[in-house]
Amino acid sequence: QVQLEESGGGLVQPGESLRLSCVSSGSRFRFDAMAWYRQTPGNERELVGSIVTPTNINYADSVKGRFTISRDSVRNTVYLQMNDLKPEDTAVYYCNANGYYGRRPYTYWGQGTQVTVSS
């Protein structure tokens, strides 16, 4: 059974940084893509950043230039370096892994880690 576990969330002040990590277990294969999403109460989960390879990365416009996603494909782990955090970045951040086993799609989610940006 594939499991994803996030860590690194917490309470920080505006302008500070955090680094989120997501460790996976139970997969015998390299995930096609990994991503970070975030969600605030009453809102849909939104994509923060996704990575397939170091040259195939996408970010939400709201985090471009401040957040950096990276992955260790051998260990099926993904990271999110968040700099210059703003109060509007406050959310629960979820790790995601997705792709295809042959023609069958898969997606896995972590339980989430809370990030709070407040003075």
Side-chain angles (χ1 to χ4, degrees):
Q1 181 178 356
V2 175
Q3 292 186 320
L4 304 179
E5 183 174 0
E6 304 95 338
S7 63
L11 170 64
V12 296
Q13 295 188 346
E16 294 186 337
S17 299
L18 279 175
R19 179 176 170 87
L20 304 183
S21 300
C22 173
V23 177
S24 70
S25 60
S27 176
R28 294 183 295 167
F29 304 98
R30 174 189 177 277
F31 297 132
D32 294 333
M34 300 192 76
W36 288 95
Y37 286 73
R38 66 187 181 187
Q39 188 171 25
T40 54
N43 293 305
E44 293 187 355
R45 199 168 292 187
E46 66 172 2
L47 178 68
V48 176
S50 65
I51 179 168
V52 178
T53 68
T55 58
N56 187 351
I57 293 174
N58 288 293
Y59 294 104
D61 287 343
S62 59
V63 307
K64 284 180 180 177
R66 300 187 298 121
F67 291 11
T68 302
I69 189 170
S70 60
R71 69 181 294 185
D72 181 335
S73 295
V74 173
R75 295 178 174 83
N76 271 341
T77 59
V78 65
Y79 308 95
L80 186 67
Q81 177 66 42
M82 304 186 293
N83 298 329
D84 190 23
L85 282 160
K86 305 176 184 300
E88 51 264 40
D89 295 318
T90 296
V92 177
Y93 284 71
Y94 296 92
C95 175
N96 172 269
N98 64 85
Y100 286 84
Y101 291 133
R103 292 189 295 177
R104 182 165 59 91
Y106 65 85
T107 188
Y108 303 110
W109 293 96
Q111 293 298 308
T113 185
Q114 177 71 47
V115 172
T116 303
V117 185
S118 176
S119 55

